[in-house]
Amino acid sequence: MKLFKKIAVAILTIIVLVLLGGYFYFQKKFTPPENYLIVSGTTENIPLKWISNNENKHDALLIPVKIDGIEKTFYMQFDSGSPITIFYKKSLESIFEKFPKQIKIDSEKNQISTGFTIGNMKVYSSIFQVLNYGSTIDFDNPNSENIIGTIGTDLLEKRITILDFKNSKCSFIEQIQEKNFTSLEFKKRKILIPSKIENENLKLLYDSGTSGYELITQKEIWEKYKIKKSPIQTEKGNSWGNTLDVYSASAKKKIHFGSLALNLSQVTYIEGTSDLQKFLMKRSGMQGMIGNKLFLHHKLILDCKNEKYKLE
């Protein structure tokens, strides 16, 4: 009997250690690094630029930026699904060839120390991460969309962000009169917005990286919300070089954000995401993601630091 108890205690101890180890592993892996951004000033009414493709007119949302010491305007994708602001290595390397004094990449650490401006607002960090991604800069074409990186929610943690989709402008400010604002969750720099479809309460991740989609959700919910027998649009998606299968269908629902009800005309689900991503979605209580398309005729104000937002 004593031997049995010792074995039981040993097994229980191992289980507890495995669970604790798993908990700390996920905490470390999915907790974003410290916010190293140094932001000075504010900026208002910066023009937004859309990237379109054959299937989608609002495939990605770009913000014009300038790198310290270089007059040319570049672009960075606004991605509220990314907890950090990053630069693209291939784009930076082509800038380095033309402006070697302004760009210096730490190839061993895949980091860069630099600053950029959005209008009158300056953003600096000594340790921007560099991703092996991007394209060569076209310096000869003044209309080229030279994308050099991604703006993440670390910037939104530093400034109140106004996305005026209706007029294709954005602002980053420090103070605003918060009247009729609604609570949101800002966990690990992820923006989780409460909503409601019919009588079902949903927690949705605002991920502007999925810009051209209204609502991306699980297949079971997709089946529930889509119009029965409606044509299914299929396309290939790209997530940092990984190919995904994207399925969209028509819907005719009302999605409520606070007191404002928007028309949900399309619902989407994706195949090709990892089991780990699916697990994390379930663990967070999140029922789906919303991109920019749902807000095209509205103004979205995000005060992530104080976990409040307003949709007009």
Side-chain angles (χ1 to χ4, degrees):
M1 184 63 72
K2 289 183 179 180
L3 179 61
F4 176 77
K5 286 184 178 179
K6 287 181 179 180
I7 294 173
V9 169
I11 293 173
L12 181 60
T13 301
I14 292 170
I15 292 172
V16 170
L17 289 175
V18 169
L19 290 174
L20 283 174
Y23 171 79
F24 287 117
Y25 168 80
F26 283 111
Q27 283 291 102
K28 183 178 180 180
K29 185 173 180 62
F30 298 101
T31 296
E34 183 180 340
N35 191 338
Y36 294 105
L37 296 188
I38 299 173
V39 184
S40 58
T42 61
T43 193
E44 297 186 54
N45 298 320
I46 299 299
L48 297 171
K49 187 179 181 70
W50 294 100
I51 292 181
S52 60
N53 59 35
N54 294 332
E55 294 86 13
N56 210 315
K57 293 181 180 179
H58 305 93
D59 190 48
L61 183 62
L62 305 181
I63 294 177
V65 302
K66 287 191 174 181
I67 295 179
D68 291 353
I70 303 175
E71 282 300 313
K72 184 174 178 60
T73 297
F74 302 103
Y75 288 92
M76 296 182 76
Q77 182 180 353
F78 176 71
D79 186 355
S80 60
S82 173
I84 57 172
T85 295
I86 58 177
F87 283 90
Y88 301 157
K89 187 175 183 180
K90 295 177 182 177
S91 305
L92 291 183
E93 286 175 342
S94 65
I95 296 175
F96 173 77
E97 291 178 4
K98 193 174 182 67
F99 301 97
K101 293 182 179 180
Q102 274 71 38
I103 296 291
K104 188 175 181 180
I105 306 171
D106 186 336
S107 299
E108 290 185 3
K109 296 182 179 179
N110 283 322
Q111 294 177 347
I112 184 173
S113 173
T114 190
F116 65 90
T117 57
I118 303 174
N120 297 320
M121 182 178 69
K122 183 177 177 65
V123 181
Y124 172 82
S125 177
S126 58
I127 49 172
F128 280 115
Q129 290 190 23
V130 176
L131 186 69
N132 189 20
Y133 193 73
S135 304
T136 302
I137 300 299
D138 184 355
F139 286 99
D140 297 326
N141 183 0
N143 298 317
S144 60
E145 298 165 344
N146 292 308
I147 305 172
I148 62 171
T150 291
I151 293 174
T153 53
D154 47 356
L155 178 57
L156 275 63
E157 195 170 43
K158 299 285 187 175
R159 290 291 184 270
I160 297 168
T161 304
I162 302 174
L163 299 166
D164 186 353
F165 294 106
K166 188 175 182 180
N167 297 299
S168 293
K169 295 179 180 180
C170 70
S171 302
F172 297 91
I173 59 178
E174 291 190 87
Q175 294 181 333
I176 193 170
Q177 185 178 359
E178 296 193 344
K179 184 179 180 181
N180 299 323
F181 273 57
T182 305
S183 296
L184 58 76
E185 292 182 29
F186 191 57
K187 293 181 177 179
K188 301 185 189 302
R189 296 201 203 114
K190 299 291 186 182
I191 302 170
L192 298 172
I193 300 179
S195 66
K196 181 182 286 188
I197 298 179
E198 296 174 340
N199 293 320
E200 186 174 6
N201 292 315
L202 303 173
K203 187 189 294 184
L204 302 176
L205 172 69
Y206 173 51
D207 182 356
S208 62
T210 60
S211 178
Y213 302 100
E214 293 183 22
L215 172 63
I216 298 175
T217 188
Q218 302 163 26
K219 187 176 181 179
E220 295 78 12
I221 300 177
W222 176 81
E223 292 278 5
K224 180 180 176 181
Y225 289 162
K226 76 181 183 70
I227 297 173
K228 305 302 179 186
K229 298 183 180 180
S230 63
I232 298 173
Q233 176 186 336
T234 61
E235 57 186 305
K236 296 292 183 181
N238 178 37
S239 176
W240 302 116
N242 296 321
T243 301
L244 305 172
D245 295 312
V246 183
Y247 302 90
S248 299
S250 297
K252 193 175 182 181
K253 301 287 184 182
K254 291 287 186 181
I255 181 168
H256 297 260
F257 296 95
S259 59
L260 190 62
L262 306 185
N263 292 320
L264 180 67
S265 62
Q266 189 183 65
V267 63
T268 302
Y269 86 94
I270 296 175
E271 288 186 351
T273 56
S274 67
D275 291 337
L276 181 57
Q277 288 172 314
K278 294 174 183 176
F279 170 78
L280 291 172
M281 178 180 285
K282 290 182 179 180
R283 287 281 297 170
S284 69
M286 181 176 67
Q287 285 81 33
M289 297 184 293
I290 45 177
N292 297 318
K293 188 177 180 181
L294 201 58
F295 305 129
L296 288 180
H297 303 292
H298 299 274
K299 180 189 291 185
L300 178 62
I301 306 171
L302 296 165
D303 182 357
C304 292
K305 185 177 180 180
N306 294 305
E307 297 190 298
K308 297 179 181 179
Y309 83 100
K310 185 178 183 180
L311 185 61
E312 299 178 344

